[in-house]
């Protein structure tokens, strides 16, 4: 922070104005037991010292290794134009503008974002983005409950386990039943016999967390017969190649947008995608940008259908999320515009072909087993003849972040590693990875 505007004298003047002597009195409403005892903050530093501190922290990052880690966040190429355009001062804000008359450019960019997400997913309506993929999935579950007026949510075994935890936490105080199906392999463990009149929605992920692809159309039909909703989470890049949520007649699509022009950034920031059929648009939370004409008959963009707690009675609001990830969604808009329809399809194909090349080469190694039984997109799981921790540690010494250890997320997955391949990986890197695995096992 290069500039701190308030002196101690300024602070004392403000405290005197509101009739208190100390800043701690502002938190008097917080029970003593819940107050922070210490923030463990270091002594203040000069601007130069702060830069040096952060430079030393940044030097700890190991950016030289080749990355094969996925599991929800992916190492994709980001065209330089995304940075150049998204960092223009008129766009450089996380917030959606309230004053339409002063913010036509930002509103139009979000309108274009919404149009692109609808084209990509095959859905009819979307909002201006959510916080991330996990909260978007939780909001999708709440949409299903509102629309069907039922109280049971089924979560497939192939859903990102972190997302499942977010949904369970998010819905914990809503008097709802959330059932996570047990993992029985890389395929969905969904049984249509579980679908009855009590089910509000079934959440599945395609490709699933293990990278496997399936066609859920038959399950979607069974859900609709029971008047339940189908909720699909999908990695956006995969939609350039696989059957879209719209083509599967899914009711709600959710996902994480990091892969669309946003950096890994230690897990964020990212943005969430939430799209649905037009008939459910009034149950869509968050902000929606619409196109209209002003009183002079000129095209104009405005926030519309705002069923948020700021505009209506709190208990009638569709969500407590009152903002969106404006800047991240803008980056996605620029990213998608630069690639175009055919470029996006080519990107998806590169991810698919490179990952499957690596999978086929690893399958030739006697002591490596491929866990997936279904076709995969750009991720797959391998069984290694040692613990995943030992494997990943030794691969790090050879210059690779070789994947995600799954025993941290699942029981009895001690020797399983989730490997991700993006368009960024060259054939030379893939071959070097295979050679290093051969040396280890």
């Amino acid at each position: 922070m290069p500039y701190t505007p308030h002196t101690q004298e300024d602070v004392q003047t403000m405290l005197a104005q509101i009739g208190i002597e100390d800043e701690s009195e502002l938190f008097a409403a917080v029970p003593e037991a819940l107050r922070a005892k210490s923030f463990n903050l270091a002594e203040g530093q000069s601007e130069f010292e702060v830069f040096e501190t952060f430079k030393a922290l940044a030097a700890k990052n190991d950016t030289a290794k080749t990355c094969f880690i996925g599991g929800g966040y992916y190492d994709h190429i980001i065209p330089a134009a995304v940075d150049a355009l998204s960092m223009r001062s008129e766009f450089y804000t996380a917030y959606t503008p309230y004053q339409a008359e002063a913010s036509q450019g930002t509103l139009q960019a979000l309108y274009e974002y919404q149009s692109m997400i609808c084209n990509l997913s095959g859905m009819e309506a979307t909002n201006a983005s959510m916080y991330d993929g996990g909260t978007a999935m939780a909001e999708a579950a709440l949409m299903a409950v509102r629309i069907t007026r039922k109280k049971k949510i089924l979560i497939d075994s192939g859903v990102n386990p972190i997302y499942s935890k977010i949904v369970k936490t998010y819905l914990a105080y809503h008097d709802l039943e959330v059932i996570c199906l047990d993992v029985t392999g890389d395929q969905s463990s969904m049984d249509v016999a579980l679908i009855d009149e009590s089910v509000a929605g079934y959440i599945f992920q395609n490709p699933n967390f293990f990278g496997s692809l399936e066609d859920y159309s038959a399950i979607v039909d069974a859900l609709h017969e029971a008047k339940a909703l189908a909720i699909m989470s999908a990695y956006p890049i995969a939609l350039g190649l696989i059957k879209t949520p719209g083509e599967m007649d899914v009711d709600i699509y959710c996902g994480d947008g990091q892969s669309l022009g946003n950096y890994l950034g230690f897990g964020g920031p990212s943005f969430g995608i939430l799209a649905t059929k037009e008939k459910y648009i009034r149950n869509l939370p968050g902000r929606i940008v619409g196109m209209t004409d002003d009183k002079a008959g000129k095209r104009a963009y405005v926030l519309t259908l705002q069923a948020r707690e700021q505009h209506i009675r709190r208990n009638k609001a569709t969500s407590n999320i009152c903002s969106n990830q404006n800047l991240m969604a803008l980056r996605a808009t620029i990213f998608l515009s630069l690639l175009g329809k055919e470029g996006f399809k080519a990107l998806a194909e590169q991810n698919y072909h490179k990952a499957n090349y690596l999978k086929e080469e690893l399958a030739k190694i006697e002591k490596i087993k491929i866990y997936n039984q279904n076709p995969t997109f750009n991720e797959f799981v391998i069984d290694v003849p040692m613990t995943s921790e030992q494997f990943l540690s030794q691969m790090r010494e050879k210059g690779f972040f070789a994947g995600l250890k799954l025993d941290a997320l699942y029981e009895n997955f001690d020797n399983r590693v989730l490997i991700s391949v993006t368009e960024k990986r060259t054939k030379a890197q893939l071959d070097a990875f295979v050679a290093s695995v051969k040396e280890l096992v």
Side-chain angles (χ1 to χ4, degrees):
M1 183 183 292
Y3 174 64
T4 303
H6 301 133
T7 65
Q8 281 300 321
E9 290 74 18
D10 293 333
V11 172
Q12 289 304 318
T13 301
M14 287 188 282
L15 294 176
Q17 183 66 35
I18 59 177
I20 62 176
E21 295 183 355
D22 189 88
E23 292 166 64
S24 63
E25 294 180 49
L26 294 170
F27 304 99
V30 179
E32 184 67 31
L34 299 180
R35 293 184 200 174
K37 301 298 182 292
S38 169
F39 291 106
N40 193 27
L41 296 176
E43 291 295 317
Q45 295 181 322
S46 68
E47 183 177 329
F48 174 77
E49 290 170 327
V50 170
F51 275 119
E52 289 300 306
T53 299
F54 280 102
K55 190 190 297 181
L57 284 173
K60 293 182 179 180
N61 295 325
D62 189 345
T63 58
K65 290 185 173 57
T66 309
C67 182
F68 289 85
I69 301 174
Y73 287 85
Y74 301 93
D75 185 25
H76 288 290
I77 293 171
I78 299 175
V82 175
D83 287 344
L85 295 174
S86 66
M87 295 179 75
R88 288 177 61 92
S89 59
E90 59 267 42
F91 284 133
Y92 205 38
T93 172
Y95 291 94
T96 317
Y98 284 94
Q99 295 83 16
E101 65 277 13
S103 310
Q104 284 298 294
T106 300
L107 286 167
Q108 182 179 355
L110 289 172
Y111 183 84
E112 302 296 349
Y113 159 80
Q114 294 174 175
S115 302
M116 290 177 185
I117 292 299
C118 287
N119 287 335
L120 183 65
S121 64
M123 304 302 289
E124 296 169 338
T126 186
N127 63 18
S129 75
M130 308 294 286
Y131 289 148
D132 54 28
T135 52
M137 183 179 286
E139 290 289 348
L142 287 175
M143 276 184 70
V145 169
R146 285 194 299 271
I147 292 167
T148 64
R149 299 181 185 274
K150 302 176 185 176
K151 294 193 171 186
K152 183 190 290 184
I153 295 291
L154 301 177
I155 302 179
D156 189 76
S157 54
V159 169
N160 185 326
I162 296 172
Y163 286 10
S164 297
K165 286 185 178 179
I166 291 172
V167 174
K168 292 183 76 171
T169 302
Y170 212 90
L171 272 56
Y173 297 100
H174 283 269
D175 188 27
L176 301 172
E177 184 180 8
V178 181
I179 300 174
C180 295
L181 305 184
D182 293 333
V183 174
T184 55
D186 72 302
Q187 301 162 314
S188 167
S189 57
M190 181 62 175
D191 184 343
V192 291
L194 294 172
I195 303 172
D196 58 29
E197 297 296 329
S198 69
V199 175
Y202 161 61
I203 303 173
F204 63 94
Q205 182 173 321
N206 196 39
N208 70 21
F209 191 68
F210 306 114
S212 293
L213 293 162
E214 291 184 71
D215 188 343
Y216 291 81
S217 299
I219 295 176
V220 172
D221 290 342
L223 288 162
H224 290 164
E225 286 181 16
K227 301 189 185 309
L229 301 191
I231 302 168
M232 174 174 165
S233 173
Y235 172 28
I237 302 295
L239 297 180
L241 200 60
I242 69 171
K243 202 169 183 178
T244 67
E247 289 170 327
M248 278 195 228
D249 198 23
V250 159
D251 300 288
I252 305 171
Y253 161 57
C254 56
D256 192 286
Q258 177 272 326
S259 58
L260 303 176
N262 289 288
Y263 291 106
L264 288 169
F266 302 99
S270 180
F271 71 90
I273 301 168
L274 190 60
T276 188
K277 295 175 177 174
E278 185 176 358
K279 62 182 177 181
Y280 300 136
I281 194 170
R282 289 189 178 276
N283 279 282
L284 191 62
R287 296 178 164 184
I288 302 170
V289 179
M291 184 172 69
T292 185
D293 293 331
D294 65 14
K295 65 180 182 182
K298 295 179 181 177
R299 178 180 295 179
Y301 299 90
V302 294
L303 294 177
T304 187
L305 296 175
Q306 299 185 78
R308 301 162 50 212
E309 64 182 16
Q310 291 177 340
H311 305 98
I312 62 176
R313 283 181 296 172
R314 186 183 182 92
N315 65 327
K316 298 289 185 184
T318 54
S319 173
N320 290 329
I321 292 182
C322 296
S323 188
N324 69 307
Q325 292 285 69
N326 196 52
L327 188 60
M328 306 300 116
L330 172 68
R331 290 178 65 89
T333 309
I334 298 168
F335 178 83
L336 290 167
S337 301
L338 290 168
L339 264 67
K341 183 178 180 180
E342 293 305 316
F344 193 82
K345 183 180 176 183
L347 172 67
E349 288 175 342
Q350 282 207 34
N351 278 258
Y352 171 78
H353 289 300
K354 289 187 175 185
N356 278 278
Y357 171 76
L358 182 62
K359 185 172 71 170
E360 289 169 4
E361 292 301 306
L362 290 173
K364 295 175 184 174
I365 302 174
E366 186 179 356
K367 294 183 179 178
I368 296 293
K369 304 297 179 191
I370 306 298
Y371 177 71
N372 304 74
Q373 301 298 310
N374 273 22
T376 55
F377 177 60
N378 78 333
E379 287 181 284
F380 56 91
V381 178
I382 61 170
D383 287 358
V384 295
M386 59 188 79
T387 67
S388 57
E389 181 59 45
Q390 290 170 333
F391 175 79
L392 294 174
S393 173
Q394 292 181 57
M395 287 296 284
R396 278 198 297 273
E397 293 176 6
K398 292 178 176 296
F400 298 98
F401 290 128
L404 190 67
K405 64 195 295 284
L406 293 179
D407 60 341
L409 300 168
Y410 301 98
E411 292 182 357
N412 303 319
F413 271 58
D414 294 348
N415 64 334
R416 289 187 175 132
V417 177
L418 178 67
I419 294 175
S420 170
V421 183
T422 70
E423 76 287 350
K424 216 171 176 180
R425 301 285 75 85
T426 65
K427 184 174 183 298
Q429 289 173 327
L430 301 179
D431 290 339
F433 186 93
V434 173
S436 294
V437 173
K438 284 180 180 174
E439 290 174 7
L440 282 186
V441 301

